[in-house]
Each structure stands twice: as C-alpha cells, then as structure tokens.
Amino acid sequence: MPALIDLIEAGRAVEHHAPWRRAVVAPKTWNLAVEQLAEGRWSLLGLWGEPETVHMALLDAADIGVISLKCPGGRYPSVGQRHPPALRLERAAADLFGLLPQGLPDPRRWLDHGQWGISHPLAAGALAEAASATRTPPPAAAYRFLPAEGESLHQIPVGPVHAGIIEPGHFRFTASGETIVRLEESLGYGHQGIEGLMAGSPVERAARLAGRTSGDSTVAYSLAFARAAEAALGVEVPSRAVWLRALMAELERLATHLGDIGAICNDAAFALMHAHCGVLRERVLRASDAVFGHRLMRDRIVPGGVASDLGEAGMTAVRSLVAEIRQRFPHLVELYDNTASLQDRTVATGRLKPELARQYAAGGYVGRASGRDFDARRSPGYPPYDELAFDVPVLQEGDVNARVWIRIREVEQSLSLIEQILERLPGGPIRVGIPEPDEPREGMALVEGFRGDILAWLRIGAGGMVERCHVRDPSWFQWPLLEAAIEGNIIADFPLCNKSFNCSYSGHDL
C-alpha cells in the first residue's frame, strides 16, 4: 500500500510550492491515487483545473500533498468514476475549463446553466475567442433530472427562487405520499466568477475577492487565502496578528453557530429559541463591529497580518460579550433539551451514516455529528491553536439533533478559546509587507471555518499578480450528503434537515 509521499516522489516535483509538496505525475500514478481514494485509505481535499492540467489535493492520515496531471486534448481519467465525492468537482472543472474526465458517470453540466454567453470561460483563449465570435453559443438544454420509476411516485420542484431572503438553488423531490424517496439538487445559480476575477489580480485584490466567496465565512476565507499567499511568499506573520486572526475566527464561529441553532429550532416551529439565539448572535456582530470596524469582520484579515488592532476598550467589549453568553446560553441549551415537541422533530431525523461522512471527508458539524473526528485547527493544525486548549466534539448519531449538539459544544469551546486568546494575546506589530516574487511561487492552506475545512491554493507570478487561485468550500462535500440524509424522511422535515446542514450556495457556486 503506497503512501502519498511515495506517489509525490515518483512524480516531477514542482519547486516553490509550500507548505506541502506538489508533483506532476503520470496517468498510472494518478490512477493509483484514485484507487487509494476508492478503497477509503485517503481522503479527497479538493480537485480543480487549469488549462490542460488537473490538480488533486489529498489527505493521507496527517500527510497532505497535491498531484497534478497533464491533460492532452483536455482529457484525463475520471476520479469520480471510482470515488463519488469527486463527481461534482469534475463536472465544475469541465464547465469552467473544458476538461473532460474519461469515464465520468454523470457528464451533465453543473455550474453552467447556459447563461454565460461563453463556453468554458477559464480555458486558454476562451475570452478572446468569445470576443471575436460572430454569434453567441446556443443556450444549454434544460437540466435533465434523473428518472424515478415506481407506483404512486410524484415529483415536487422547489426553487431556485425561494420564499425567503436566501440564496438560489433547485431541489427536485421524488416522493411516495409524504415520504421522500429521492432528492436531487441543481446548483450553480449563484456563480460569481470568483476564480476568473482573481486571475491577473494583485494579491490584495484577490484577498478581498476571497473574503467575498461566502459572506458568513468571510473571516475563514480571508484567513485561508492569506495563509496560502504567505506560504507561497515565505512571509512570517507577526505573532500578535496570528492571535488576532484566531480571535476573529472564533467570533465568526460563535455568531454563525448561535444563528444556526436558533434557525434550526425555528424550522421546527419553535420560534422562542430562534428569538433568543438571534439576540445573542446580534450581540456578537455588534461587538465585532465595535472591536474590528465591521460586523462580519470582512477585509480585517489581510496577507501579512490584520488590518485592525485590539485596544483596551475592544478587549473589555469582548470580555463582556463572553460573560453575557456564558450567563444566557446554558438556559437556552436546557430549553432545547427539555422541549419534548422539539426533540420529536430533531431526534432520528435526517440521519447521515458515518461511512458516508468518512467517504466524503465531510467537515465541520456535518462530519463530526456522524463520527468523523477531523478539525483543521488540530490536524494539520496552524498557529496559535497549537498553543491553545480545546476539545473537538464528536457524536455518532448523525441526525439533526446531533448536528445541533455539535454546534452547542462548539459554542462552548469558542467561548473558552476567546478567553484564552484575550489572556495570552502578545504585543507587537500587526502587519508586515508582502514581497513581489521574481519567479512563480505556489502556496496552499487548510483552515477550519464554521462549516468545516476550507482549502485555498494559489500561484503568484513574477511581479506579484495572482496567476491562478482555487478556493474550496466545505459544502462541496456536504451538499451530496444532504441528498442521502433526507431519504426516507417526510417532506415537512426537509427545511429542518437542510438548515441543520446549512451548506453554502455561493461558496459552492464560486
């Protein structure tokens, strides 16, 4: 059984790729990696394209690496043929770059709904070709949902426009009476062209774009991009900035988990929890604004450090916030746990099997509620979490209730982490300059957002412009699991299951 490091050493090493190694490999080596994924020995962290090249980030125990395969004629052996978590990533790379996985079980378009006016917009020469074209490409055919056959089955289409201020996505239910026998998703309606906008941008502008990939995770995305850029350029961030970044990350995790706990209860018609959790979430947002100058702390993390410092008044505000949540939150937890009608809706609803969570390398509360013990803060780890004490809660039940309890425990852990950060926050500068490389350099980072691990990979060319950047949201591996978890549940429980997953539309759609 080969190790990941063996496959990388068998390929042609790419210089100036940090902190983990990347190698260009032969098709035989690529297929050997696919075999390790299919047999469950390794986990897929990401798959993305470039013109004539496909990349795959892999996790082998605690070891991380990237293998790349040249694609003559845009063709390469499909990963999704043997490892289903890669299917949608391959379909997205096909839409954006025209890369054609050979043997892909599902060749339907994924991000491209035929409204771009251009095919394969990130392929070499695509924009120039579109500009000189005498006619626009024909519109894409209507999306073909998978057929379902059986007595008394009916279909229910929902979306992409929903009855609320939420992002667009289409859900096609096949039901027998009130019981869901299949859910199929169609996403991509929120495509922003993030990766195309990053190409050719200065590092500072690309960092701002990264922070806008998914608004509720702006801190995590900014951190992932900054760490990838700093790894590529060999930048050492001041110690105070490192700790302030962790403070922002935990405040973001606190706000989103509090909001999610309330919203899940609201979808079970328990509005009281929603109201109280909403108050606490608002307290976090106001404190973040008072301390860092923005409710969501957008653009506060920058390559080289942070853009805002923490003064005495800010420290007092955060300590007051923590004290208030510590006083009020336990009563809400007791209310949740002792409300029988609420438990009736969340316990044993939307159960995700642990083996699926492992296969898809599901991160965050989705994975941890189904037994997958993974947290990027701990492994591979990054500072200052190696100096902080925290637990990673894990449950086995995999239902809505378990996903609520993971969030509850993570709220408690974030409060503890914030207290530790305030107690040990070092002094000193908060930002250093970013050098311009004299040759291309590549960097990669894996950070823990509130949904799970976020991957960022980039190449910075001579002169400091970003040549290519790919960011991967945890939702890429969680949306397919929602389809599996909802089967056998009643239609009325879909909003509850959906909110307990709380996958990102924009983070997925890019």
Side-chain angles (χ1 to χ4, degrees):
M1 182 177 67
L4 176 56
I5 188 65
D6 297 329
L7 267 65
I8 291 177
E9 290 182 347
R12 175 172 57 82
V14 175
E15 294 184 357
H16 308 306
H17 186 283
W20 302 290
R21 298 172 65 183
R22 179 168 85 86
V24 180
V25 300
K28 181 179 180 181
T29 304
W30 179 270
N31 288 330
L32 185 57
V34 174
E35 182 179 332
Q36 305 310 305
L37 289 171
E39 294 179 1
R41 299 192 182 103
W42 299 353
S43 296
L44 180 66
L45 292 179
L47 186 150
W48 63 97
E50 283 192 271
E52 303 298 315
T53 306
V54 63
H55 308 283
M56 186 160 53
L58 300 164
L59 172 66
D60 174 12
D63 193 19
I64 292 175
V66 179
I67 61 173
S68 305
L69 180 69
K70 295 297 182 182
C71 306
R75 289 170 168 78
Y76 67 97
S78 170
V79 180
Q81 185 177 25
R82 297 198 59 196
H83 189 58
L87 279 171
R88 293 182 178 180
L89 292 163
E90 290 189 316
R91 291 168 66 186
D95 286 349
L96 296 173
F97 292 93
L99 299 176
L100 302 175
Q102 301 304 289
L104 180 67
D106 188 351
R108 293 174 295 171
R109 294 185 182 189
W110 185 239
L111 298 179
D112 183 1
H113 292 270
Q115 303 298 316
W116 295 346
I118 181 175
S119 296
H120 319 309
L122 300 186
L127 294 178
E129 181 180 331
S132 62
T134 57
R135 63 184 181 89
T136 58
Y143 192 81
R144 293 179 294 103
F145 287 93
L146 299 176
E149 297 179 356
E151 188 175 351
S152 301
L153 294 183
H154 61 282
Q155 290 194 335
I156 306 171
V158 178
V161 179
H162 300 284
I165 308 174
I166 62 174
E167 297 176 280
H170 184 93
F171 302 98
R172 183 65 59 93
F173 297 91
T174 301
S176 175
E178 285 294 308
T179 302
I180 299 169
V181 298
R182 173 187 285 165
L183 165 63
E184 188 177 359
E185 302 154 352
S186 173
L187 303 174
Y189 297 94
H191 180 68
Q192 308 164 78
I194 289 283
E195 296 187 351
L197 292 170
M198 285 182 173
S201 295
V203 171
E204 293 77 10
R205 180 172 187 268
R208 291 193 293 272
L209 288 167
R212 285 153 176 79
T213 306
S214 185
D216 56 10
S217 301
T218 183
V219 170
Y221 269 98
S222 295
L223 179 57
F225 181 92
R227 285 186 54 80
E230 290 151 7
L233 300 173
V235 174
E236 185 173 349
V237 177
S239 180
R240 183 174 179 84
V242 169
W243 286 71
L244 287 174
R245 287 174 169 185
L247 176 60
M248 294 182 204
E250 296 311 315
L251 286 171
E252 179 175 80
R253 197 180 329 274
L254 196 58
T256 48
H257 280 345
L258 287 169
D260 278 1
I261 293 167
I264 292 168
C265 294
N266 191 55
D267 280 335
F270 196 63
L272 182 63
M273 279 286 291
H274 184 45
H276 282 286
C277 288
V279 169
L280 294 183
R281 176 179 178 270
E282 178 63 21
R283 293 283 195 270
V284 179
L285 297 180
R286 291 186 182 187
S288 300
D289 187 29
V291 174
F292 294 112
H294 194 284
R295 286 165 60 84
L296 300 179
M297 297 167 286
R298 180 174 293 153
D299 299 331
R300 301 299 87 194
I301 293 179
V302 295
V306 295
S308 300
D309 204 350
L310 177 68
E312 285 299 325
M315 191 169 291
T316 300
V318 176
R319 285 200 170 106
S320 176
L321 169 72
V322 170
E324 180 181 3
I325 296 175
R326 282 203 179 280
Q327 189 271 325
R328 298 179 63 175
F329 189 62
H331 299 290
L332 298 180
V333 174
E334 183 179 2
L335 179 62
Y336 171 80
D337 200 31
N338 292 331
T339 302
S341 60
L342 186 57
Q343 295 291 302
D344 184 60
R345 294 293 305 280
T346 62
V347 174
T349 300
R351 191 184 297 274
L352 175 65
K353 297 178 181 178
E355 53 267 29
L356 276 176
R358 286 193 299 271
Q359 180 185 23
Y360 277 75
Y365 44 79
V366 172
R368 291 194 276 272
S370 294
R372 184 170 184 260
D373 186 5
F374 182 83
D375 189 311
R377 295 173 295 177
R378 182 183 62 189
S379 177
Y382 50 94
Y385 291 101
D386 53 344
E387 300 181 48
L388 296 169
F390 65 101
D391 295 325
V392 178
V394 179
L395 296 171
Q396 303 295 325
E397 290 80 3
D399 55 5
V400 171
N401 182 59
R403 290 187 282 276
V404 171
W405 274 105
I406 293 295
R407 287 175 168 97
I408 289 171
R409 295 303 179 220
E410 290 193 1
V411 164
E412 296 166 352
Q413 292 300 310
S414 287
L415 292 172
S416 172
L417 285 166
I418 290 170
E419 290 172 330
Q420 294 177 61
I421 291 167
L422 294 179
E423 184 69 27
R424 302 175 57 186
L425 183 66
I430 62 170
R431 189 172 182 178
V432 296
I434 296 293
E436 289 188 3
D438 53 7
E439 58 184 324
R441 293 179 177 271
E442 299 176 355
M444 182 172 157
L446 194 71
V447 307
E448 189 72 16
F450 84 94
R451 284 189 179 90
D453 49 291
I454 293 172
L455 180 142
W457 177 90
L458 54 74
R459 180 187 302 114
I460 301 174
M465 296 295 183
V466 173
E467 293 183 353
R468 173 78 175 100
C469 179
H470 172 72
V471 287
R472 190 270 300 151
D473 193 89
S475 303
W476 277 99
F477 300 130
Q478 295 170 351
W479 276 118
L481 297 177
L482 176 60
E483 292 182 341
I486 196 61
E487 287 187 13
N489 291 263
I490 61 173
I491 293 170
D493 279 341
F494 173 71
L496 193 62
C497 295
N498 188 27
K499 189 59 190 178
S500 75
F501 273 71
N502 190 19
C503 299
S504 173
Y505 296 83
S506 61
H508 167 280
D509 295 347
L510 288 174

